[in-house]
Amino acid sequence: MMKKIIEIEGIDPAGIVGVADANLKVLEDSFPCKILLRGNTVYMDGDKDVVLQAEEVLSEMMKTYSRKQSLTPGDVRSLVSLISEGNHVSEEGPEPVILYTKKGEIIPRTDGQKEFYEKSKYNDILFAIGPAGTGKTYLAVAISVAAYKRREVKRIILTRPAVEAGERLGFLPGDLREKIDPYLTPLFDALNDMVSTTTLKSLMTKRVIEVVPLAYMRGRTLDNAYVILDEAQNSSAMQMKMFLTRLGPNSKAIITGDVTQIDLPSRQESGLLHAERLLKGIEGIGYTYFTEKDVVRHRLVKEIISAYSLDNDKVNTKDA
C-alpha cells in the first residue's frame, strides 16, 4: 500500500477537477484507490502501482490544463488510456485540432486516431476498422463537420445499415421512422456534441445534414458531400457496392466498422470484409486499423475487448 500527497501549484484546482468534479470522477473510476482533494492538495491511498499510475495521470492533467487552459473528462480518459498501457505522454508540440466545439477541442488522442486523421486528408475513401470505444464514429463525424465549416463540401450524409443485434424491426413499436431512429442515435449524439441544437435543426431541415438508413441511399448521386457509413460490418456486399458508387464529384467517404460485431445472418458475407479484400491497393482508398490500445472509453472497455479477443483466439485454435 502507498499514500501520496500531491500539491497543485500555480493552477486553479477547480480547473483540474472539472465541473461537478467530473475530471476527478474519471480518475477515481479508472484507478481503484482513494483520491481526495482538500484545497490545493490531492491525497491518494491504495496499491502502490495503482497510486503511481494515478499520480502520473494527475501530473499530465495539470500539464494539459496549463497548456490549454481547459481540461475535459475526454482529456482525462485519453491520459488514463495512454498511461494504463505503460506508455508516457509525448513531449512533442500540441496535437492538431480537428474541430472546435462548444465542449472544447476535438483532437486525435491515440496513435490510431492520429493515423486516421492524417489519412483522411489525402484519401477520398477511408476505411476505419476496429473495436468499440476507439472513437471511429465520433472522429469521422468531426472530420466531416470540419470539412463543411471550411466549405470544402456542401453537405454531410451520415448513414447506417438498420440491422438489429438479436432483435427484429417488426417487433419494435411505432412506425418505420420510429423503428429506425434508435439505429441512428449514435450519429445524432455525435452531431449534438459538435453543432448547436438550433443550427443542427436548421441544417437538417435544409437537408444540408442528413442522417438516414443505408437503404435510403439507393439511386442517389452525392456531389460535394462528405458521406459516412457507420457500422459497415452489418452491410451486405451489394449494399457496400451501392454505397461506394453513390460518390459524385468533390465527395469523400469514411466507412467505419467492427468486424468482431457482425449481426448479419451467418451465411451472408459482411460488405466491410468483402470491400476490404477487394479494394486494397486502389489509389485514393485508405485503411486505418484501430486496436484496444486506441480505446478512449472507460479503461475496463479495453480489458473487456482484450479478454474477448483472447477467447476467440482460443476457440479458433481449437477448431483448427
Side-chain angles (χ1 to χ4, degrees):
M1 300 295 289
M2 170 182 278
K3 293 184 178 181
K4 202 79 176 178
I5 299 175
I6 302 105
E7 296 292 337
I8 299 177
E9 299 178 350
I11 302 174
D12 180 5
I16 300 299
V17 301
V19 178
D21 293 344
N23 296 338
L24 197 61
K25 287 176 182 176
V26 172
L27 192 62
E28 290 176 326
D29 289 343
S30 302
F31 298 103
C33 65
K34 293 181 181 178
I35 303 174
L36 184 66
L37 175 68
R38 286 287 182 265
N40 284 23
T41 305
V42 177
Y43 300 88
M44 295 183 180
D45 186 0
D47 180 78
K48 179 179 179 181
D49 290 340
V50 173
V51 169
L52 289 175
Q53 282 190 319
E55 179 188 18
E56 185 174 357
V57 172
L58 180 62
S59 174
E60 294 300 336
M61 287 167 62
M62 290 188 282
K63 291 179 184 177
T64 300
Y65 183 81
S66 295
R67 185 178 74 249
K68 297 170 51 181
Q69 293 302 302
S70 68
L71 183 69
T72 68
D75 293 329
V76 181
R77 282 190 286 270
S78 297
L79 292 170
V80 168
S81 177
L82 187 67
I83 291 169
S84 294
E85 281 292 318
N87 298 318
H88 297 284
V89 179
S90 172
E91 295 298 331
E92 298 175 358
E95 300 294 350
V97 177
I98 299 174
L99 183 68
Y100 292 94
T101 75
K102 57 188 177 183
K103 293 188 175 182
E105 302 169 339
I106 297 177
I107 62 175
R109 302 181 184 281
T110 69
D111 290 341
Q113 290 187 355
K114 292 172 188 175
E115 178 188 328
F116 176 48
Y117 178 51
E118 288 303 314
K119 286 186 176 180
S120 74
K121 297 176 181 178
Y122 55 85
N123 286 286
D124 286 342
I125 297 176
L126 179 59
F127 288 84
I129 302 172
T134 50
K136 304 183 301 295
T137 301
Y138 196 81
L139 287 186
V141 175
I143 289 167
S144 69
V145 172
Y148 172 75
K149 288 189 172 184
R150 292 193 300 267
R151 300 186 179 182
E152 294 173 5
V153 296
K154 295 182 179 179
R155 291 186 293 167
I156 299 172
I157 316 293
L158 311 175
T159 186
R160 268 186 161 200
V163 174
E164 53 277 66
E167 297 181 359
R168 292 286 179 263
L169 283 172
F171 290 106
L172 297 176
D175 59 21
L176 180 60
R177 183 78 248 179
E178 291 171 325
K179 292 174 189 288
I180 289 172
D181 273 352
Y183 293 96
L184 305 176
T185 296
L187 299 174
F188 283 114
D189 287 346
L191 281 171
N192 283 324
D193 273 359
M194 301 171 199
V195 183
S196 70
T197 302
T198 303
T199 302
L200 180 57
K201 184 177 180 179
S202 173
L203 292 175
M204 294 190 72
T205 299
K206 297 174 183 177
R207 298 187 70 184
V208 173
I209 295 180
E210 295 182 63
V211 184
V212 296
L214 179 58
Y216 287 27
M217 300 290 287
R218 190 173 299 279
R220 302 183 63 179
T221 300
L222 303 174
D223 300 342
N224 297 302
Y226 221 119
V227 194
I228 295 172
L229 171 57
D230 193 37
E231 297 288 342
Q233 76 276 3
N234 288 329
S235 66
S236 68
M238 288 303 296
Q239 285 177 321
M240 179 63 76
K241 178 184 176 183
M242 178 272 291
F243 171 80
L244 292 174
T245 54
R246 296 310 90 200
L247 289 186
N250 194 42
S251 288
K252 300 184 76 170
I254 294 177
I255 299 96
T256 74
D258 178 359
V259 295
T260 68
Q261 296 191 35
I262 297 174
D263 298 316
L264 295 169
S266 57
R267 294 183 180 180
Q268 187 172 4
E269 183 180 17
S270 165
L272 178 60
L273 292 174
H274 183 260
E276 180 189 16
R277 186 179 71 250
L278 194 66
L279 304 179
K280 271 195 171 178
I282 297 178
E283 186 176 354
I285 300 180
Y287 296 82
T288 297
Y289 293 92
F290 293 86
T291 71
E292 61 270 17
K293 292 182 179 179
D294 296 303
V295 171
V296 291
R297 292 183 186 168
H298 193 288
R299 68 176 182 85
L300 289 178
V301 174
K302 186 181 302 183
E303 296 183 25
I304 289 167
I305 291 170
S306 296
Y308 273 94
S309 296
L310 182 61
D311 185 63
N312 288 336
D313 290 342
K314 289 180 179 177
V315 171
N316 293 334
T317 301
K318 184 178 179 180
D319 290 343

